[in-house]
Amino acid sequence: MAEDKQKKTIFNFVDSLEGDKVVWMIVMLLILFSIVAIFSSTSLLAVQQNTTRMKIISEQLLISLIGLVVITVCYNIKSIRFYRFLSQFGYVLSMGLLLILASHKPLGPIKPLFINKAWRIVSIAGVQIHVFEVVKVAMVMYLAWAVNAFRNDDFKTANLLARKHPVWAKPLTKKIVYIYAPIFTVCLGIMVGSLSSTLFIGGIMFLTILIGGIGIKELLAPAAVAVVLLGGCIGLNKIVKSHSEKVPFPHLESALKRLDSQGSEKAFEIMKSVPSGDIRFQEALDEVKQPVSAKIAIKEGGIIGKGPGKSTQRYVVPIMFEDYMFSFIVEEYGLIGGILVIILYISLLARGSLIVRNCDNHFAKTAVAGLVVLITGQAIMHIMINCDIGPLTGQTLPMISHGNSSFLMFSCAFGIILSISRMAKRKLDRAARKAVAESNARDDVRNRMDDLEQLENGALEGNFEEDGLTVHENDIPDYDIDDHNNE
C-alpha cells in the first residue's frame, strides 16, 4: 500500500510516463524556452499591436497549454491503424487549404487572408490557420501511408480500377498517382505564396519517401521533373509580366533575388548612393536590415549573453520572435544558450533513430522518421539562416518561435512520435516478457530432465536418496520368494 501511494506522488510522475522519456524532456524544455523567449522578444510586437507583453505571454501560456493537450491526446492513441487511416486524407486536407488560398475568395466562414504581402493564412470562423504549417505535417503523414501502401500493394481504389484498366496495376502508375503527383501539386500550391517554403517542404517530402523505401535512382526522374517545373514557373512569370503587372507566382522573383550572392552588396551600394529619405534607400535598408541585425545580435551575445530582457536588436528586427528567434536567444543567453538549443534538436534526431529502430511497422517507421527530419531539418535551417549561411527562408524555430499554427502542428508531430514510441516500447516489453517466460520454461524443462537423469543414474548405481536419507542396495535384507510361499 505504501508503494502504491508513493507512485502517485508528483516526484514519480516521470516514471508513470510511457514512451520515450528523452523526447518528453526535449518537448518540455522547448516549451519552456518558448515561453521565456517570447516574453522577452515581443516588445516591438506589443507596440505594433497596441497591447502589452503580459497579454502576449498570457496568450503564449494558453497556446502552450493547448499544445500539451494536443500532445497528450495524440500520445494516448494506442492504435497505429488509427494514424494510418487518418494519414491517407493528408493530401486532401493540404490541397483543400491550398486551393482556398489560390482562389483568393471567401467560402462562407472560410476566408483566405492576404497578410505580409502573401496568401498564406486561412481564417475559419475567425480562427487563423497558417496553411503551410498544416501542409508540412499532413503531407509527411500522407506520404508515410502512401509508401507503406505501395510496399504492401494496398491501394484499394487502384486495385479496383485495375480489374477493368490493367494500366492501374502497374507499379509506376501507382507511384505517379499516389506519390509523385501529390508532391508536385502541393509544391505548386505552396509556390504561389513562398518559394523558400516550396523548396523546404518539397525537400522534406522527397526525404520522407526516400526513407520509406523509394530508391535514389527512382527519384532522379521526379527530381528532374521538379527542376523543369520550377523553370517553367519562372518562364511563365516572365511571359505574364510582359503583359500584366500580376504574375502567377509573385514571390518567385523576390526569392530569386535573395539567392543572388551579390544582393546585399547591391543594397549597400544603393544606400550609399541615395539620400536616406529616398524610397530606394528604404527598400534597400529593408532588404538587409533583418539579416544584418541578426548577425549583430549573435556578435553581441558572446559566450554568456546579455541576460534575460536585455536584447537591443528586438527593437530593430520586426519579426525577431519568429524568423530570428535563434539570434535573439544567443543575444540574451549567449553561445551557451544557443548550444543548448542545438543539443535539444540533435538529441531529438538521435532518439528518433532509436524509435525507428524499435518499430516493427513500416508505416510507423516512415512516419516517425519523416516527422523527426521535419522538426530537426527546420531547426537547422532556421539556425543556419540566423548565422547568415544561406538566403532568408522565413522558417521558424520549431516549438520556440511565436506562431500558433506552427506550435500546434509541431505539438501534433511530437504527440505522434511519443505515441508510436509508446507502442514500440510496449511491444518490446511484451517480447521481453515472452522471452523471459520461454527462457524460464526451458530452464524448468532442463531442470526436470536433469532430475530425471539423476534419478536414472541413481537407479542404475543402486543408490536411492529420499528426505536426506541414502539407502544402499547392500543394506536391503535378502528376501526369498520361496520361503514366503512356504509360509
Side-chain angles (χ1 to χ4, degrees), residues 73-107:
V73 170
C74 293
Y75 159 76
N76 280 291
I77 295 174
K78 301 177 182 180
S79 174
I80 196 67
R81 293 180 180 177
F82 180 80
Y83 285 122
R84 191 164 55 231
F85 173 76
L86 287 184
S87 296
Q88 61 185 317
F89 302 106
Y91 173 61
V92 175
L93 173 63
S94 300
M95 283 306 301
L97 292 173
L98 291 172
L99 289 174
I100 292 172
L101 284 182
S103 68
H104 301 171
K105 297 178 181 179
L107 183 63

PDB file of all heavy atoms in Angstrom, residues 73-107:
ATOM      1  N   VAL A  73      -3.342  14.020 -26.176  1.00  0.00           N
ATOM      2  CA  VAL A  73      -4.375  13.293 -26.930  1.00  0.00           C
ATOM      3  C   VAL A  73      -3.723  12.345 -27.942  1.00  0.00           C
ATOM      4  O   VAL A  73      -4.089  11.169 -28.036  1.00  0.00           O
ATOM      5  CB  VAL A  73      -5.321  14.282 -27.640  1.00  0.00           C
ATOM      6  CG1 VAL A  73      -6.229  13.543 -28.615  1.00  0.00           C
ATOM      7  CG2 VAL A  73      -6.157  15.048 -26.616  1.00  0.00           C
ATOM      8  N   CYS A  74      -2.761  12.860 -28.700  1.00  0.00           N
ATOM      9  CA  CYS A  74      -2.074  12.013 -29.692  1.00  0.00           C
ATOM     10  C   CYS A  74      -1.311  10.890 -28.999  1.00  0.00           C
ATOM     11  O   CYS A  74      -1.290   9.747 -29.478  1.00  0.00           O
ATOM     12  CB  CYS A  74      -1.115  12.858 -30.524  1.00  0.00           C
ATOM     13  SG  CYS A  74      -1.924  14.076 -31.589  1.00  0.00           S
ATOM     14  N   TYR A  75      -0.692  11.201 -27.876  1.00  0.00           N
ATOM     15  CA  TYR A  75       0.103  10.229 -27.125  1.00  0.00           C
ATOM     16  C   TYR A  75      -0.759   9.060 -26.635  1.00  0.00           C
ATOM     17  O   TYR A  75      -0.296   7.917 -26.570  1.00  0.00           O
ATOM     18  CB  TYR A  75       0.777  10.950 -25.962  1.00  0.00           C
ATOM     19  CG  TYR A  75       1.223  10.085 -24.813  1.00  0.00           C
ATOM     20  CD1 TYR A  75       2.370   9.301 -24.904  1.00  0.00           C
ATOM     21  CD2 TYR A  75       0.507  10.063 -23.616  1.00  0.00           C
ATOM     22  CE1 TYR A  75       2.783   8.510 -23.841  1.00  0.00           C
ATOM     23  CE2 TYR A  75       0.908   9.279 -22.556  1.00  0.00           C
ATOM     24  CZ  TYR A  75       2.047   8.501 -22.665  1.00  0.00           C
ATOM     25  OH  TYR A  75       2.447   7.728 -21.617  1.00  0.00           O
ATOM     26  N   ASN A  76      -2.017   9.347 -26.277  1.00  0.00           N
ATOM     27  CA  ASN A  76      -2.891   8.314 -25.715  1.00  0.00           C
ATOM     28  C   ASN A  76      -3.596   7.476 -26.778  1.00  0.00           C
ATOM     29  O   ASN A  76      -4.345   6.571 -26.430  1.00  0.00           O
ATOM     30  CB  ASN A  76      -3.929   8.961 -24.797  1.00  0.00           C
ATOM     31  CG  ASN A  76      -3.353   9.279 -23.427  1.00  0.00           C
ATOM     32  OD1 ASN A  76      -3.049   8.387 -22.649  1.00  0.00           O
ATOM     33  ND2 ASN A  76      -3.179  10.562 -23.142  1.00  0.00           N
ATOM     34  N   ILE A  77      -3.373   7.789 -28.060  1.00  0.00           N
ATOM     35  CA  ILE A  77      -3.903   6.919 -29.117  1.00  0.00           C
ATOM     36  C   ILE A  77      -3.040   5.661 -29.189  1.00  0.00           C
ATOM     37  O   ILE A  77      -1.836   5.737 -29.411  1.00  0.00           O
ATOM     38  CB  ILE A  77      -3.922   7.663 -30.463  1.00  0.00           C
ATOM     39  CG1 ILE A  77      -4.911   8.840 -30.409  1.00  0.00           C
ATOM     40  CG2 ILE A  77      -4.293   6.706 -31.605  1.00  0.00           C
ATOM     41  CD1 ILE A  77      -4.898   9.712 -31.633  1.00  0.00           C
ATOM     42  N   LYS A  78      -3.647   4.516 -29.006  1.00  0.00           N
ATOM     43  CA  LYS A  78      -2.897   3.271 -28.846  1.00  0.00           C
ATOM     44  C   LYS A  78      -2.925   2.380 -30.088  1.00  0.00           C
ATOM     45  O   LYS A  78      -2.413   1.264 -30.049  1.00  0.00           O
ATOM     46  CB  LYS A  78      -3.447   2.485 -27.652  1.00  0.00           C
ATOM     47  CG  LYS A  78      -3.384   3.258 -26.340  1.00  0.00           C
ATOM     48  CD  LYS A  78      -3.994   2.473 -25.196  1.00  0.00           C
ATOM     49  CE  LYS A  78      -3.959   3.276 -23.899  1.00  0.00           C
ATOM     50  NZ  LYS A  78      -4.567   2.512 -22.773  1.00  0.00           N
ATOM     51  N   SER A  79      -3.522   2.853 -31.165  1.00  0.00           N
ATOM     52  CA  SER A  79      -3.633   2.028 -32.368  1.00  0.00           C
ATOM     53  C   SER A  79      -2.944   2.706 -33.540  1.00  0.00           C
ATOM     54  O   SER A  79      -3.272   3.844 -33.894  1.00  0.00           O
ATOM     55  CB  SER A  79      -5.105   1.773 -32.707  1.00  0.00           C
ATOM     56  OG  SER A  79      -5.215   1.106 -33.941  1.00  0.00           O
ATOM     57  N   ILE A  80      -1.990   2.014 -34.145  1.00  0.00           N
ATOM     58  CA  ILE A  80      -1.308   2.555 -35.320  1.00  0.00           C
ATOM     59  C   ILE A  80      -2.249   2.590 -36.513  1.00  0.00           C
ATOM     60  O   ILE A  80      -2.059   3.397 -37.442  1.00  0.00           O
ATOM     61  CB  ILE A  80      -0.045   1.715 -35.629  1.00  0.00           C
ATOM     62  CG1 ILE A  80       0.885   2.472 -36.571  1.00  0.00           C
ATOM     63  CG2 ILE A  80      -0.425   0.369 -36.221  1.00  0.00           C
ATOM     64  CD1 ILE A  80       1.490   3.695 -35.983  1.00  0.00           C
ATOM     65  N   ARG A  81      -3.274   1.760 -36.494  1.00  0.00           N
ATOM     66  CA  ARG A  81      -4.247   1.748 -37.586  1.00  0.00           C
ATOM     67  C   ARG A  81      -4.997   3.071 -37.658  1.00  0.00           C
ATOM     68  O   ARG A  81      -5.365   3.521 -38.749  1.00  0.00           O
ATOM     69  CB  ARG A  81      -5.246   0.603 -37.393  1.00  0.00           C
ATOM     70  CG  ARG A  81      -4.623  -0.780 -37.523  1.00  0.00           C
ATOM     71  CD  ARG A  81      -5.675  -1.854 -37.323  1.00  0.00           C
ATOM     72  NE  ARG A  81      -5.105  -3.191 -37.433  1.00  0.00           N
ATOM     73  CZ  ARG A  81      -5.787  -4.303 -37.248  1.00  0.00           C
ATOM     74  NH1 ARG A  81      -7.094  -4.239 -36.952  1.00  0.00           N
ATOM     75  NH2 ARG A  81      -5.202  -5.481 -37.356  1.00  0.00           N
ATOM     76  N   PHE A  82      -5.234   3.694 -36.494  1.00  0.00           N
ATOM     77  CA  PHE A  82      -5.927   4.983 -36.469  1.00  0.00           C
ATOM     78  C   PHE A  82      -5.120   6.042 -37.206  1.00  0.00           C
ATOM     79  O   PHE A  82      -5.654   6.789 -38.029  1.00  0.00           O
ATOM     80  CB  PHE A  82      -6.170   5.400 -35.022  1.00  0.00           C
ATOM     81  CG  PHE A  82      -6.878   6.716 -34.871  1.00  0.00           C
ATOM     82  CD1 PHE A  82      -8.249   6.798 -35.013  1.00  0.00           C
ATOM     83  CD2 PHE A  82      -6.158   7.866 -34.591  1.00  0.00           C
ATOM     84  CE1 PHE A  82      -8.907   8.014 -34.880  1.00  0.00           C
ATOM     85  CE2 PHE A  82      -6.801   9.085 -34.464  1.00  0.00           C
ATOM     86  CZ  PHE A  82      -8.181   9.159 -34.599  1.00  0.00           C
ATOM     87  N   TYR A  83      -3.820   6.105 -36.934  1.00  0.00           N
ATOM     88  CA  TYR A  83      -2.950   7.059 -37.621  1.00  0.00           C
ATOM     89  C   TYR A  83      -2.866   6.755 -39.112  1.00  0.00           C
ATOM     90  O   TYR A  83      -2.872   7.659 -39.948  1.00  0.00           O
ATOM     91  CB  TYR A  83      -1.555   7.037 -37.006  1.00  0.00           C
ATOM     92  CG  TYR A  83      -1.456   7.721 -35.667  1.00  0.00           C
ATOM     93  CD1 TYR A  83      -1.017   7.038 -34.547  1.00  0.00           C
ATOM     94  CD2 TYR A  83      -1.805   9.060 -35.527  1.00  0.00           C
ATOM     95  CE1 TYR A  83      -0.923   7.666 -33.317  1.00  0.00           C
ATOM     96  CE2 TYR A  83      -1.720   9.692 -34.308  1.00  0.00           C
ATOM     97  CZ  TYR A  83      -1.274   8.996 -33.202  1.00  0.00           C
ATOM     98  OH  TYR A  83      -1.190   9.624 -31.999  1.00  0.00           O
ATOM     99  N   ARG A  84      -2.786   5.470 -39.427  1.00  0.00           N
ATOM    100  CA  ARG A  84      -2.692   5.084 -40.839  1.00  0.00           C
ATOM    101  C   ARG A  84      -3.962   5.453 -41.594  1.00  0.00           C
ATOM    102  O   ARG A  84      -3.902   5.886 -42.752  1.00  0.00           O
ATOM    103  CB  ARG A  84      -2.404   3.585 -40.947  1.00  0.00           C
ATOM    104  CG  ARG A  84      -2.025   3.136 -42.347  1.00  0.00           C
ATOM    105  CD  ARG A  84      -1.376   1.776 -42.339  1.00  0.00           C
ATOM    106  NE  ARG A  84      -2.189   0.782 -41.690  1.00  0.00           N
ATOM    107  CZ  ARG A  84      -1.753  -0.026 -40.728  1.00  0.00           C
ATOM    108  NH1 ARG A  84      -0.501   0.074 -40.306  1.00  0.00           N
ATOM    109  NH2 ARG A  84      -2.543  -0.927 -40.199  1.00  0.00           N
ATOM    110  N   PHE A  85      -5.104   5.311 -40.950  1.00  0.00           N
ATOM    111  CA  PHE A  85      -6.374   5.658 -41.584  1.00  0.00           C
ATOM    112  C   PHE A  85      -6.471   7.163 -41.829  1.00  0.00           C
ATOM    113  O   PHE A  85      -6.837   7.610 -42.927  1.00  0.00           O
ATOM    114  CB  PHE A  85      -7.534   5.181 -40.706  1.00  0.00           C
ATOM    115  CG  PHE A  85      -8.883   5.635 -41.181  1.00  0.00           C
ATOM    116  CD1 PHE A  85      -9.493   5.026 -42.272  1.00  0.00           C
ATOM    117  CD2 PHE A  85      -9.536   6.697 -40.557  1.00  0.00           C
ATOM    118  CE1 PHE A  85     -10.733   5.454 -42.723  1.00  0.00           C
ATOM    119  CE2 PHE A  85     -10.777   7.131 -41.002  1.00  0.00           C
ATOM    120  CZ  PHE A  85     -11.375   6.509 -42.081  1.00  0.00           C
ATOM    121  N   LEU A  86      -6.145   7.972 -40.821  1.00  0.00           N
ATOM    122  CA  LEU A  86      -6.233   9.422 -40.964  1.00  0.00           C
ATOM    123  C   LEU A  86      -5.204   9.970 -41.944  1.00  0.00           C
ATOM    124  O   LEU A  86      -5.456  10.957 -42.645  1.00  0.00           O
ATOM    125  CB  LEU A  86      -6.063  10.106 -39.608  1.00  0.00           C
ATOM    126  CG  LEU A  86      -7.216  10.003 -38.615  1.00  0.00           C
ATOM    127  CD1 LEU A  86      -6.899  10.813 -37.367  1.00  0.00           C
ATOM    128  CD2 LEU A  86      -8.529  10.479 -39.228  1.00  0.00           C
ATOM    129  N   SER A  87      -4.031   9.331 -42.004  1.00  0.00           N
ATOM    130  CA  SER A  87      -2.944   9.851 -42.833  1.00  0.00           C
ATOM    131  C   SER A  87      -3.297   9.864 -44.315  1.00  0.00           C
ATOM    132  O   SER A  87      -2.806  10.712 -45.061  1.00  0.00           O
ATOM    133  CB  SER A  87      -1.681   9.017 -42.607  1.00  0.00           C
ATOM    134  OG  SER A  87      -1.236   9.141 -41.275  1.00  0.00           O
ATOM    135  N   GLN A  88      -4.152   8.940 -44.754  1.00  0.00           N
ATOM    136  CA  GLN A  88      -4.476   8.891 -46.184  1.00  0.00           C
ATOM    137  C   GLN A  88      -5.283  10.103 -46.646  1.00  0.00           C
ATOM    138  O   GLN A  88      -5.406  10.356 -47.844  1.00  0.00           O
ATOM    139  CB  GLN A  88      -5.232   7.604 -46.508  1.00  0.00           C
ATOM    140  CG  GLN A  88      -6.558   7.451 -45.796  1.00  0.00           C
ATOM    141  CD  GLN A  88      -7.201   6.111 -46.061  1.00  0.00           C
ATOM    142  OE1 GLN A  88      -7.217   5.630 -47.191  1.00  0.00           O
ATOM    143  NE2 GLN A  88      -7.728   5.482 -45.021  1.00  0.00           N
ATOM    144  N   PHE A  89      -5.794  10.897 -45.682  1.00  0.00           N
ATOM    145  CA  PHE A  89      -6.532  12.117 -46.028  1.00  0.00           C
ATOM    146  C   PHE A  89      -5.658  13.362 -45.921  1.00  0.00           C
ATOM    147  O   PHE A  89      -6.146  14.486 -46.091  1.00  0.00           O
ATOM    148  CB  PHE A  89      -7.752  12.276 -45.119  1.00  0.00           C
ATOM    149  CG  PHE A  89      -8.706  11.111 -45.176  1.00  0.00           C
ATOM    150  CD1 PHE A  89      -8.776  10.199 -44.139  1.00  0.00           C
ATOM    151  CD2 PHE A  89      -9.506  10.912 -46.292  1.00  0.00           C
ATOM    152  CE1 PHE A  89      -9.633   9.125 -44.185  1.00  0.00           C
ATOM    153  CE2 PHE A  89     -10.390   9.840 -46.351  1.00  0.00           C
ATOM    154  CZ  PHE A  89     -10.445   8.930 -45.297  1.00  0.00           C
ATOM    155  N   GLY A  90      -4.369  13.189 -45.640  1.00  0.00           N
ATOM    156  CA  GLY A  90      -3.469  14.327 -45.500  1.00  0.00           C
ATOM    157  C   GLY A  90      -3.332  15.126 -46.778  1.00  0.00           C
ATOM    158  O   GLY A  90      -3.269  16.361 -46.749  1.00  0.00           O
ATOM    159  N   TYR A  91      -3.311  14.444 -47.917  1.00  0.00           N
ATOM    160  CA  TYR A  91      -3.187  15.140 -49.196  1.00  0.00           C
ATOM    161  C   TYR A  91      -4.453  15.925 -49.520  1.00  0.00           C
ATOM    162  O   TYR A  91      -4.394  17.067 -49.997  1.00  0.00           O
ATOM    163  CB  TYR A  91      -2.887  14.133 -50.307  1.00  0.00           C
ATOM    164  CG  TYR A  91      -2.911  14.725 -51.693  1.00  0.00           C
ATOM    165  CD1 TYR A  91      -2.033  15.753 -52.042  1.00  0.00           C
ATOM    166  CD2 TYR A  91      -3.819  14.268 -52.649  1.00  0.00           C
ATOM    167  CE1 TYR A  91      -2.067  16.309 -53.319  1.00  0.00           C
ATOM    168  CE2 TYR A  91      -3.849  14.808 -53.922  1.00  0.00           C
ATOM    169  CZ  TYR A  91      -2.967  15.833 -54.246  1.00  0.00           C
ATOM    170  OH  TYR A  91      -2.995  16.387 -55.497  1.00  0.00           O
ATOM    171  N   VAL A  92      -5.604  15.338 -49.239  1.00  0.00           N
ATOM    172  CA  VAL A  92      -6.882  16.021 -49.489  1.00  0.00           C
ATOM    173  C   VAL A  92      -6.969  17.289 -48.645  1.00  0.00           C
ATOM    174  O   VAL A  92      -7.376  18.360 -49.137  1.00  0.00           O
ATOM    175  CB  VAL A  92      -8.063  15.083 -49.175  1.00  0.00           C
ATOM    176  CG1 VAL A  92      -9.392  15.819 -49.320  1.00  0.00           C
ATOM    177  CG2 VAL A  92      -8.029  13.865 -50.086  1.00  0.00           C
ATOM    178  N   LEU A  93      -6.580  17.195 -47.373  1.00  0.00           N
ATOM    179  CA  LEU A  93      -6.593  18.355 -46.493  1.00  0.00           C
ATOM    180  C   LEU A  93      -5.650  19.440 -47.006  1.00  0.00           C
ATOM    181  O   LEU A  93      -6.013  20.630 -47.057  1.00  0.00           O
ATOM    182  CB  LEU A  93      -6.195  17.936 -45.078  1.00  0.00           C
ATOM    183  CG  LEU A  93      -6.007  19.063 -44.052  1.00  0.00           C
ATOM    184  CD1 LEU A  93      -7.322  19.804 -43.819  1.00  0.00           C
ATOM    185  CD2 LEU A  93      -5.469  18.502 -42.735  1.00  0.00           C
ATOM    186  N   SER A  94      -4.440  19.040 -47.395  1.00  0.00           N
ATOM    187  CA  SER A  94      -3.443  20.002 -47.870  1.00  0.00           C
ATOM    188  C   SER A  94      -3.911  20.717 -49.128  1.00  0.00           C
ATOM    189  O   SER A  94      -3.862  21.953 -49.217  1.00  0.00           O
ATOM    190  CB  SER A  94      -2.114  19.278 -48.135  1.00  0.00           C
ATOM    191  OG  SER A  94      -1.623  18.659 -46.965  1.00  0.00           O
ATOM    192  N   MET A  95      -4.382  19.969 -50.107  1.00  0.00           N
ATOM    193  CA  MET A  95      -4.808  20.580 -51.359  1.00  0.00           C
ATOM    194  C   MET A  95      -6.066  21.424 -51.169  1.00  0.00           C
ATOM    195  O   MET A  95      -6.235  22.460 -51.826  1.00  0.00           O
ATOM    196  CB  MET A  95      -5.064  19.505 -52.415  1.00  0.00           C
ATOM    197  CG  MET A  95      -3.809  18.938 -53.035  1.00  0.00           C
ATOM    198  SD  MET A  95      -2.708  20.207 -53.727  1.00  0.00           S
ATOM    199  CE  MET A  95      -3.771  20.999 -54.939  1.00  0.00           C
ATOM    200  N   GLY A  96      -6.941  21.018 -50.263  1.00  0.00           N
ATOM    201  CA  GLY A  96      -8.134  21.814 -49.995  1.00  0.00           C
ATOM    202  C   GLY A  96      -7.772  23.197 -49.469  1.00  0.00           C
ATOM    203  O   GLY A  96      -8.306  24.218 -49.941  1.00  0.00           O
ATOM    204  N   LEU A  97      -6.852  23.257 -48.511  1.00  0.00           N
ATOM    205  CA  LEU A  97      -6.417  24.546 -47.955  1.00  0.00           C
ATOM    206  C   LEU A  97      -5.672  25.372 -48.995  1.00  0.00           C
ATOM    207  O   LEU A  97      -5.856  26.597 -49.087  1.00  0.00           O
ATOM    208  CB  LEU A  97      -5.532  24.310 -46.734  1.00  0.00           C
ATOM    209  CG  LEU A  97      -6.240  23.714 -45.501  1.00  0.00           C
ATOM    210  CD1 LEU A  97      -5.227  23.367 -44.420  1.00  0.00           C
ATOM    211  CD2 LEU A  97      -7.279  24.689 -44.946  1.00  0.00           C
ATOM    212  N   LEU A  98      -4.821  24.723 -49.793  1.00  0.00           N
ATOM    213  CA  LEU A  98      -4.062  25.451 -50.814  1.00  0.00           C
ATOM    214  C   LEU A  98      -4.970  25.999 -51.906  1.00  0.00           C
ATOM    215  O   LEU A  98      -4.738  27.099 -52.429  1.00  0.00           O
ATOM    216  CB  LEU A  98      -3.000  24.534 -51.423  1.00  0.00           C
ATOM    217  CG  LEU A  98      -1.832  24.155 -50.491  1.00  0.00           C
ATOM    218  CD1 LEU A  98      -0.952  23.089 -51.127  1.00  0.00           C
ATOM    219  CD2 LEU A  98      -0.999  25.383 -50.137  1.00  0.00           C
ATOM    220  N   LEU A  99      -6.007  25.259 -52.269  1.00  0.00           N
ATOM    221  CA  LEU A  99      -6.952  25.747 -53.278  1.00  0.00           C
ATOM    222  C   LEU A  99      -7.754  26.937 -52.763  1.00  0.00           C
ATOM    223  O   LEU A  99      -8.088  27.852 -53.522  1.00  0.00           O
ATOM    224  CB  LEU A  99      -7.887  24.614 -53.715  1.00  0.00           C
ATOM    225  CG  LEU A  99      -7.248  23.521 -54.573  1.00  0.00           C
ATOM    226  CD1 LEU A  99      -8.232  22.380 -54.809  1.00  0.00           C
ATOM    227  CD2 LEU A  99      -6.764  24.092 -55.906  1.00  0.00           C
ATOM    228  N   ILE A 100      -8.065  26.926 -51.473  1.00  0.00           N
ATOM    229  CA  ILE A 100      -8.758  28.079 -50.883  1.00  0.00           C
ATOM    230  C   ILE A 100      -7.870  29.316 -50.967  1.00  0.00           C
ATOM    231  O   ILE A 100      -8.333  30.420 -51.288  1.00  0.00           O
ATOM    232  CB  ILE A 100      -9.137  27.782 -49.421  1.00  0.00           C
ATOM    233  CG1 ILE A 100     -10.214  26.702 -49.369  1.00  0.00           C
ATOM    234  CG2 ILE A 100      -9.619  29.045 -48.716  1.00  0.00           C
ATOM    235  CD1 ILE A 100     -10.521  26.214 -47.975  1.00  0.00           C
ATOM    236  N   LEU A 101      -6.565  29.139 -50.693  1.00  0.00           N
ATOM    237  CA  LEU A 101      -5.632  30.260 -50.824  1.00  0.00           C
ATOM    238  C   LEU A 101      -5.560  30.746 -52.266  1.00  0.00           C
ATOM    239  O   LEU A 101      -5.564  31.949 -52.532  1.00  0.00           O
ATOM    240  CB  LEU A 101      -4.232  29.840 -50.358  1.00  0.00           C
ATOM    241  CG  LEU A 101      -3.984  29.719 -48.855  1.00  0.00           C
ATOM    242  CD1 LEU A 101      -2.538  29.335 -48.603  1.00  0.00           C
ATOM    243  CD2 LEU A 101      -4.312  31.013 -48.133  1.00  0.00           C
ATOM    244  N   ALA A 102      -5.483  29.808 -53.205  1.00  0.00           N
ATOM    245  CA  ALA A 102      -5.330  30.173 -54.617  1.00  0.00           C
ATOM    246  C   ALA A 102      -6.566  30.880 -55.159  1.00  0.00           C
ATOM    247  O   ALA A 102      -6.469  31.715 -56.067  1.00  0.00           O
ATOM    248  CB  ALA A 102      -5.031  28.929 -55.451  1.00  0.00           C
ATOM    249  N   SER A 103      -7.733  30.591 -54.599  1.00  0.00           N
ATOM    250  CA  SER A 103      -8.965  31.206 -55.090  1.00  0.00           C
ATOM    251  C   SER A 103      -9.075  32.678 -54.705  1.00  0.00           C
ATOM    252  O   SER A 103      -9.715  33.467 -55.408  1.00  0.00           O
ATOM    253  CB  SER A 103     -10.177  30.455 -54.551  1.00  0.00           C
ATOM    254  OG  SER A 103     -10.289  30.639 -53.146  1.00  0.00           O
ATOM    255  N   HIS A 104      -8.453  33.052 -53.579  1.00  0.00           N
ATOM    256  CA  HIS A 104      -8.497  34.430 -53.080  1.00  0.00           C
ATOM    257  C   HIS A 104      -9.921  34.894 -52.771  1.00  0.00           C
ATOM    258  O   HIS A 104     -10.172  36.089 -52.636  1.00  0.00           O
ATOM    259  CB  HIS A 104      -7.860  35.418 -54.077  1.00  0.00           C
ATOM    260  CG  HIS A 104      -6.440  35.119 -54.388  1.00  0.00           C
ATOM    261  ND1 HIS A 104      -5.742  35.764 -55.387  1.00  0.00           N
ATOM    262  CD2 HIS A 104      -5.566  34.234 -53.843  1.00  0.00           C
ATOM    263  CE1 HIS A 104      -4.504  35.290 -55.448  1.00  0.00           C
ATOM    264  NE2 HIS A 104      -4.387  34.357 -54.519  1.00  0.00           N
ATOM    265  N   LYS A 105     -10.844  33.936 -52.654  1.00  0.00           N
ATOM    266  CA  LYS A 105     -12.238  34.291 -52.413  1.00  0.00           C
ATOM    267  C   LYS A 105     -12.763  33.546 -51.187  1.00  0.00           C
ATOM    268  O   LYS A 105     -12.421  32.387 -50.967  1.00  0.00           O
ATOM    269  CB  LYS A 105     -13.106  33.943 -53.636  1.00  0.00           C
ATOM    270  CG  LYS A 105     -12.742  34.724 -54.890  1.00  0.00           C
ATOM    271  CD  LYS A 105     -13.613  34.292 -56.058  1.00  0.00           C
ATOM    272  CE  LYS A 105     -13.245  35.059 -57.326  1.00  0.00           C
ATOM    273  NZ  LYS A 105     -14.055  34.634 -58.485  1.00  0.00           N
ATOM    274  N   PRO A 106     -13.582  34.205 -50.379  1.00  0.00           N
ATOM    275  CA  PRO A 106     -14.142  33.535 -49.193  1.00  0.00           C
ATOM    276  C   PRO A 106     -15.154  32.463 -49.566  1.00  0.00           C
ATOM    277  O   PRO A 106     -15.833  32.556 -50.595  1.00  0.00           O
ATOM    278  CB  PRO A 106     -14.803  34.684 -48.420  1.00  0.00           C
ATOM    279  CG  PRO A 106     -15.109  35.714 -49.456  1.00  0.00           C
ATOM    280  CD  PRO A 106     -14.024  35.603 -50.496  1.00  0.00           C
ATOM    281  N   LEU A 107     -15.235  31.446 -48.746  1.00  0.00           N
ATOM    282  CA  LEU A 107     -16.191  30.365 -48.948  1.00  0.00           C
ATOM    283  C   LEU A 107     -16.961  30.192 -47.643  1.00  0.00           C
ATOM    284  O   LEU A 107     -16.612  29.373 -46.789  1.00  0.00           O
ATOM    285  CB  LEU A 107     -15.477  29.065 -49.337  1.00  0.00           C
ATOM    286  CG  LEU A 107     -16.357  27.856 -49.651  1.00  0.00           C
ATOM    287  CD1 LEU A 107     -17.221  28.136 -50.873  1.00  0.00           C
ATOM    288  CD2 LEU A 107     -15.498  26.622 -49.874  1.00  0.00           C
TER     289      LEU A 107
END
